[in-house]
């Protein structure tokens, strides 16, 4: 990781891939990841960790399921923060596209428990190093 300041606008301008998180830096045992998103992600959960979202630009909806029937959607605008509690099934989406920042334990797969059911437009990964 760099020991120099990282400008998030510059970092976001360095890639175009959607739903493909880039690791900006690390804090203790956590990755600070950024991603460009558009359309729907996959329903998934993280059994062992909460997931922190900060919308840097655009709008993000996070659909949440409690069990298989009770569903609600949280709408986030630029500057909004939301934490999905561990074990909660959720599906981020953005109709017009957004840029987001996430905190996750290093090594956490972005698609959580849905390793075999990932559509082609989504990169299932633990994050990629930020180029440049």
């Amino acid at each position: 990781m760099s020991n120099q300041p990282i400008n998030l606008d510059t970092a976001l301008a360095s890639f175009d891939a959607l739903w493909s998180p880039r690791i900006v830096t690390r804090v203790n045992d956590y990755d600070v990841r950024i991603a460009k998103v558009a359309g729907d992600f996959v329903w998934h959960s993280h059994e062992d960790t909460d997931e922190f979202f900060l919308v840097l630009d655009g709008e993000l909806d996070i659909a949440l399921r409690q069990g298989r029937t009770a569903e609600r959607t949280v709408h986030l605008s630029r500057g909004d923060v939301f934490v999905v509690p561990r074990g909660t099934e959720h599906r981020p989406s953005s109709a017009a596209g957004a840029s987001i920042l996430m905190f996750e334990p290093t090594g956490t797969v972005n698609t959580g428990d849905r390793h075999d059911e990932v559509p082609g437009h989504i990169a299932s990964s633990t994050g990629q190093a930020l180029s440049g």
Side-chain angles (χ1 to χ4, degrees):
M1 293 287 107
S2 173
N3 63 355
Q4 297 296 317
I6 298 168
N7 180 280
L8 292 179
D9 290 330
T10 302
L12 284 161
S14 73
F15 66 96
D16 292 320
L18 297 175
W19 300 112
S20 182
R22 300 301 197 267
I23 301 168
V24 176
T25 193
R26 289 195 171 93
V27 178
N28 298 318
D29 297 331
Y30 280 76
D31 290 341
V32 178
R33 302 176 185 179
I34 56 173
K36 293 179 180 179
V37 301
D40 293 331
F41 199 62
V42 63
W43 280 101
H44 69 287
S45 65
H46 303 278
E47 291 305 315
D48 299 322
T49 185
D50 300 336
E51 189 170 11
F52 172 97
F53 291 89
L54 164 63
V55 177
L56 300 170
D57 190 38
E59 297 182 336
L60 182 73
D61 290 322
I62 303 175
L64 304 162
R65 283 186 184 152
Q66 299 297 329
R68 287 285 181 184
T69 55
E71 189 175 310
R72 72 181 179 108
T73 299
V74 175
H75 179 78
L76 305 174
S77 297
R78 183 178 181 274
D80 288 344
V81 168
F82 184 75
V83 175
V84 175
R86 70 187 69 211
T88 301
E89 193 173 20
H90 59 288
R91 184 192 70 205
S93 63
S94 179
S99 297
I100 61 175
L101 182 141
M102 298 158 290
F103 284 102
E104 294 182 299
T106 299
T108 300
V109 177
N110 63 336
T111 53
D113 62 347
R114 296 300 194 279
H115 306 291
D116 299 334
E117 306 168 24
V118 179
H121 71 281
I122 295 171
S124 184
S125 83
T126 58
Q128 298 177 32
L130 188 61
S131 299

